[in-house]
Amino acid sequence: MRIFMIIVLAIILTSCSQHEMSFDDVVKSQAHAKEAFKRKGYITATASKQNELVKFRIMVIDKITNDNARELAEEFINLMETQIKDKELFNKRYQITFDIKSEKDGNILFNGKRDKGTTDIWWQF
């Protein structure tokens, strides 16, 4: 009986413990996405602040369409998330902001963000 109680208590404590996320995992996820984009010929930049903000920039040769911009940003975020163990916790803790900038003239063509606690991206076209 005593062993049964210990097992039940261990299960309850394990299921109730708060999930932790390593900031190193977030940084590694950004590096993973950057490397994947580098292989496709894109220049990117990233920055992050623990438990608050993830930022990235994608440089494009010239102007692109709204649809292409959406695809690029969503692909970058998806690549990052493939390296995150607890995506729900990541979404709760981090706001993502990004922009897409022209290599040709240096103008920011698109920017957007994904607020904490949501998967919706807000765009400024």
Side-chain angles (χ1 to χ4, degrees), residues 20-121:
E20 290 299 317
M21 172 182 280
S22 167
F23 183 61
D24 288 340
D25 289 343
V26 174
V27 173
K28 287 176 186 175
S29 75
Q30 288 178 300
H32 170 75
K34 278 183 73 165
E35 185 59 35
F37 267 63
K38 182 179 179 181
R39 286 191 300 269
K40 291 181 166 202
Y42 291 100
I43 297 170
T44 59
T46 60
S48 52
K49 187 173 181 182
Q50 191 164 0
N51 293 329
E52 290 185 32
L53 183 63
V54 169
K55 295 174 78 170
F56 66 89
R57 168 173 285 159
I58 301 169
M59 301 294 290
V60 295
I61 293 173
D62 206 357
K63 295 187 185 278
I64 60 173
T65 67
N66 294 1
D67 289 338
N68 291 130
R70 274 192 189 97
E71 289 171 9
L72 286 173
E74 288 173 0
E75 181 180 359
F76 197 93
I77 292 169
N78 289 338
L79 283 166
M80 281 182 45
E81 288 182 337
T82 64
Q83 304 300 303
I84 301 291
K85 293 176 186 132
D86 190 339
K87 291 177 193 166
E88 186 177 327
L89 184 58
F90 175 72
N91 288 338
K92 283 181 185 177
R93 287 194 180 171
Y94 288 90
Q95 176 184 16
I96 298 174
T97 63
F98 59 88
D99 60 44
I100 298 174
K101 188 173 182 178
S102 170
E103 287 182 40
K104 187 175 183 177
D105 59 18
N107 290 332
I108 293 178
L109 305 172
F110 305 97
N111 58 36
K113 70 177 183 170
R114 186 175 88 178
D115 289 326
K116 291 180 182 182
T118 183
T119 58
D120 297 330
I121 295 175

